[in-house]
Structures are given as C-alpha cells and as structure tokens.
C-alpha cells in the first residue's frame, strides 16, 4: 500500500506541501527494536527519497507498543509534519525524547575477551555459500580452523568451484521454513555460528517495482533471516548477516533491495535486545566477487579487495559484543561522493568528518541515537588521512582506536 501511494503521488504530479511520513512503532528505537518486520518500510523511505526528493519522504517511529499513548503518538507525528529542520528519520522513546540517526566513523575494534573463536569441533552454517562472497567466506572459515561447514544453497552447480575441505553442500531455499528445519535436522557437531550471505538482486526503482521483484529480494533476506533465527539455537556464538550500504543510505533504483536489507539491520538490534548474538554488516562493494561487480557503481563508492573485506570481518568477530550490532564497511572517494550530492543536505552524515557540503544547522534536537559505525577500508584511491580516523560509537559504547 505504501509503494502504491508513493507511485500515485509521482504519476499524478502531486506537489507535496509538507513531509510525507510513514509511521511505525518499535521498528527503529533508540535502545530496542521490537518489530523488525516494519523495518523494510524505512529502507523504502531512504531509497524513494533519493529517487524522488520532491515527495519529501520520511519515517517516524513512535516508540515501543507499550510506551506512548495514542494521543502522545498523534502529537509526535503532528510535530514532525510541521518541523522545519532537515531530519527525515526520527524515533521517539517511551519518555517522548526525540532521536535521530547519525553515521560515525570508527576503527576496527580491539580483540575482546568475550569474542567467539572459530572451533574445529563445531559446525558453521553458511547460506548462499555457492556465490562469490559465500565461497570466500567458506575458505576463510576453513583457513581459520573450521572443520565442519554446512553450506545451504538453492541450487548446486556441479560446474562451480569445489568447496573447501570440511564443507558439506545441502540444497535448501532458506525462505522455506520446512526446508530450513529439514536441512538443520540432526546436524553434528552442534552449530556454533551462522553466516547469512544469501541474497537476490532484482533491482527496481519506485515506478517499475513489481510484487515479483519485491518478493525476489524479500525471500532470502526477510523470510530467510527469520527462518534461521527461529530454527537455530538461541545460544549461538556467531550470527552474522550480510547486509548492504543500500539499506543505510538508500539507493536509486534499488527500492526493493534496500528494503530487504533494512530487515537484516533491524534483526541485529532485535536479537541483541533479547540477549542473543548478532551482527549485521552493511557492506560496500567487494571487488572480483559478489553482485556489485555486475552493476554500475554509485558515485563516490570504491571497490575493496576480498582480503580486505575478510580482514574486517575477522576484526569485527574478534571484537565480540563491542563490535555490534551494526557496522558499515565500505571504501569511499569522499570528494566524488559529495560532489555527486551537490545541492542536497543530509543530516545523517553530520558526524562524518568529510561532510562539508554545508555547515551543520544549529543543533536543536536531542543527541543522536546509537548509530552504526563506519569502518573505512584501504583502497588507495584516495588514502584516508590519519586526521579523520575518528573514534566512533556503536550502541552507546566507544570503539578503541588502533593503528
């Protein structure tokens, strides 16, 4: 319904006088996420806003369902409709305090005492393990001591590269709950970690998105993630989800893909809020492997080598709970990035030191909610000056700097 309304506004040439807001509850809380299935709406808002800024799309979360009354919620939404600042993603907590997201730069975390290790006497589950990213991950697991790797894939191509030693292939569509439970039945040794890599590119912008293209992206990311969460033990050492930068910033022509990955981001907060392990990584563009190599690169984004990506993954896993629950790993040419954004203003980037398109507006809002940390990765074009290697925060905790 939301997509149909947005399409109607564009096709009808409607001139929007005030913000077009989607209202959710418990989807993007500053401390807890209790309704992750609403998160794809936030991913849609971000991408539609980039495709059609004239619609002034935004999202407001009125807090957990047990919190603010109906009258209070109505007041919050009304206030946001008439707000004159540039914020378009807002969430309220139970005390009616307004929070806004900010991206922060951070260095990889130092090894933590509570960090899990890859064990040879446990099984590690990898979905989408026959794709480029999945194969790189399987080889990394094997090289780091994993002796039992369960690889789930919708298809098993006999002509594909052979999996590393210890990997066992099982045909399974993770969007099918029955298939997932059957694939996990009787697995031994016990499963200690899950790496959810599976995904489908079916790019579509607002005006050409269809139910089929939406489902194509949602099946592995939304249904698949939930099936794994429900079927796997609650005491896993590792639960890593491969998300995308598209769900953080929005991406033109990828409304469905950004929406699907936004669910992974919310699930990381949902699981950690319930005391379970979870980490979602909003990956930028891997070189040589992955679907990003088949698509035109957005201005300012740069490829990084697989070894660099795996080094970042290892650092995040070794960082334990202090590394998550949500981190972005990407390589940028900030000059080109901001040149492509000329004329726009996004407060979401105010805590990134290179953000200099405009001076920040006077800070009239409550200090920002816990935000994902941005881990810059070396790409040589251009190098990131040491002066901007700032310590960032994740979930209210600071990350130590390392050289």
């Amino acid at each position: 319904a939301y997509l149909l309304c947005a399409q109607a506004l564009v096709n009808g040439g409607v001139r929007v006088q005030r913000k077009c807001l989607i209202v959710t509850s418990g989807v993007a809380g500053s401390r807890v996420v209790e309704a992750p299935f609403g998160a794809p709406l936030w991913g849609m808002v971000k991408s539609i806003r980039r495709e059609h800024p004239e619609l002034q799309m935004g999202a407001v979360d009125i807090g957990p369902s047990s919190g603010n009354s109906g009258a209070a919620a109505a007041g919050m939404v009304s206030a946001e409709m008439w707000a004159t600042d540039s914020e378009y993603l807002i969430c309220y907590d139970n005390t009616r305090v307004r929070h806004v997201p900010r991206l922060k730069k951070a260095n990889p975390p130092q090894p933590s005492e509570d960090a899990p290790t890859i064990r040879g006497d446990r099984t590690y589950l990898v979905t989408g393990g026959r794709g480029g990213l999945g194969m790189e991950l399987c080889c990394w697991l094997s090289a780091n001591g994993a002796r039992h790797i369960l690889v789930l894939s919708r298809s098993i191509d006999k002509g594909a590269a052979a999996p590393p030693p210890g990997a066992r292939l099982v045909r399974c569509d993770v969007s099918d709950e029955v298939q997932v439970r059957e694939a996990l039945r009787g697995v031994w040794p016990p499963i200690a970690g899950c790496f959810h890599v599976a995904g489908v590119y079916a790019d579509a912008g607002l005006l050409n998105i269809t139910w089929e293209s939406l489902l194509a992206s949602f099946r592995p990311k939304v249904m698949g993630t939930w099936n794994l969460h429900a079927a796997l033990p609650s005491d896993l050492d590792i639960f890593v989800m491969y998300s995308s930068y598209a769900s953080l910033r929005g991406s033109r022509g990828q409304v469905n893909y950004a929406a699907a990955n936004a669910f992974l981001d919310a699930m990381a907060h949902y699981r950690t809020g319930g005391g379970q392990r979870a980490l979602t990584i909003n990956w930028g563009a891997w070189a040589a492997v992955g679907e990003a190599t088949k698509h035109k690169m957005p201005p300012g984004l740069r490829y990084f080598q697989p070894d660099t990506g795996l080094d970042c993954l290892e650092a995040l896993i070794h960082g334990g709970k202090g590394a998550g629950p949500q981190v972005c790993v990407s390589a940028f040419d900030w000059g080109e990035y901001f040149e492509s954004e000329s004329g726009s203003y996004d407060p979401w980037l105010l805590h990134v030191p290179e953000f200099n398109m405009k001076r920040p507006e006077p800070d009239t809002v409550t200090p920002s909610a816990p935000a994902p940390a941005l881990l810059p990765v070396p790409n040589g074009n251009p190098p990131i000056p040491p002066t901007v290697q700032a310590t960032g925060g994740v979930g209210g905790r600071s990350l130590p700097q390392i050289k």
Side-chain angles (χ1 to χ4, degrees):
Y2 172 68
L3 287 174
L4 291 175
C5 289
Q7 289 171 340
L9 289 174
V10 175
N11 290 327
V14 176
R15 184 178 180 183
V16 177
Q17 299 294 329
R18 291 288 174 185
K19 298 174 182 178
C20 290
L21 299 176
I22 187 77
V23 181
T24 60
S25 175
V27 168
S30 62
R31 292 181 175 84
V32 63
V33 168
E34 66 175 18
F37 283 99
L41 291 170
W42 282 60
M44 291 178 187
V45 164
K46 296 172 187 177
S47 287
I48 293 173
R49 186 179 177 89
R50 290 179 66 76
E51 288 186 18
H52 299 281
E54 72 278 6
L55 296 183
Q56 300 187 61
M57 286 292 179
V60 180
D61 194 275
I62 58 175
S65 58
S66 61
N68 299 302
S69 65
M76 296 171 193
V77 175
S78 177
E80 295 303 334
M81 289 289 295
W82 292 92
T84 58
D85 60 20
S86 300
E87 305 296 343
Y88 62 94
L89 300 172
I90 304 101
C91 64
Y92 286 86
D93 60 24
N94 285 345
T95 61
R96 304 183 191 179
V97 174
R98 187 185 194 235
H99 298 264
V100 295
R102 292 291 184 265
L103 191 68
K104 299 179 181 180
K105 295 189 69 172
N107 289 307
Q110 292 279 18
S112 170
E113 292 183 358
D114 71 345
T117 58
I118 304 300
R119 299 173 53 177
D121 61 347
R122 291 292 184 268
T123 296
Y124 293 89
L125 173 66
V126 177
T127 70
R130 298 301 280 165
L133 292 178
M135 287 298 293
E136 290 285 344
L137 174 59
C138 288
C139 292
W140 177 84
L141 283 168
S142 179
N144 279 270
R147 297 294 174 260
H148 306 276
I149 306 171
L150 177 61
V151 180
L152 303 186
S153 178
R154 286 185 304 159
S155 60
I156 299 179
D157 183 2
K158 295 182 179 179
R168 179 167 66 92
L169 299 177
V170 174
R171 188 190 302 274
C172 175
D173 182 347
V174 292
S175 68
D176 187 314
E177 179 184 0
V178 175
Q179 290 190 37
V180 170
R181 292 192 178 277
E182 184 62 30
L184 300 182
R185 191 188 309 277
V187 172
W188 191 263
I191 296 175
C194 172
F195 295 84
H196 186 30
V197 185
V200 172
Y201 269 79
D203 291 355
L206 174 61
L207 296 183
N208 63 350
I209 195 171
T210 64
W211 182 245
E212 290 73 21
S213 62
L214 192 67
L215 280 180
S217 293
F218 273 41
R219 284 191 182 102
K221 296 286 188 179
V222 179
M223 291 84 127
T225 302
W226 185 259
N227 289 339
L228 293 168
H229 164 74
L232 288 167
S234 61
D235 59 348
L236 292 177
D237 294 338
I238 300 171
F239 192 94
V240 174
M241 295 167 283
Y242 275 38
S243 184
S244 168
Y245 177 74
S247 65
L248 278 182
R249 184 74 171 96
S251 180
R252 298 180 183 93
Q254 290 189 313
V255 172
N256 52 342
Y257 189 67
N261 280 286
F263 179 77
L264 273 63
D265 303 341
M267 275 300 296
H269 294 272
Y270 178 78
R271 283 179 58 90
T272 55
Q276 296 176 274
R277 294 270 190 174
L279 169 66
T280 181
I281 305 176
N282 300 96
W283 291 111
W286 293 64
V289 297
E291 289 292 329
T293 60
K294 306 174 185 177
H295 296 258
K296 183 180 179 180
M297 185 65 57
L301 263 66
R302 291 290 181 265
Y303 289 106
F304 54 85
Q305 294 302 315
D307 286 348
T308 300
L310 293 172
D311 287 344
C312 289
L313 172 64
E314 182 172 355
L316 291 170
I317 291 176
H318 289 169
K321 295 179 180 179
Q326 184 179 3
V327 176
C328 173
V329 179
S330 189
F332 292 93
D333 178 334
W334 287 109
E336 180 181 304
Y337 185 88
F338 290 128
E339 183 178 350
S340 72
E341 300 289 315
S342 178
S344 64
Y345 174 77
D346 195 337
W348 185 75
L349 292 168
L350 282 176
H351 290 181
V352 177
E354 293 89 346
F355 183 85
N356 55 11
M357 292 187 301
K358 291 185 178 182
R359 292 290 181 182
E361 295 178 336
D363 189 7
T364 58
V365 300
T366 300
S368 61
L374 175 67
L375 298 183
V377 297
N379 67 327
N381 185 20
I384 301 174
T387 56
V388 299
Q389 298 291 325
T391 299
V394 181
R397 294 178 291 270
S398 62
L399 298 180
Q401 284 186 297
I402 61 172
K403 296 182 179 180

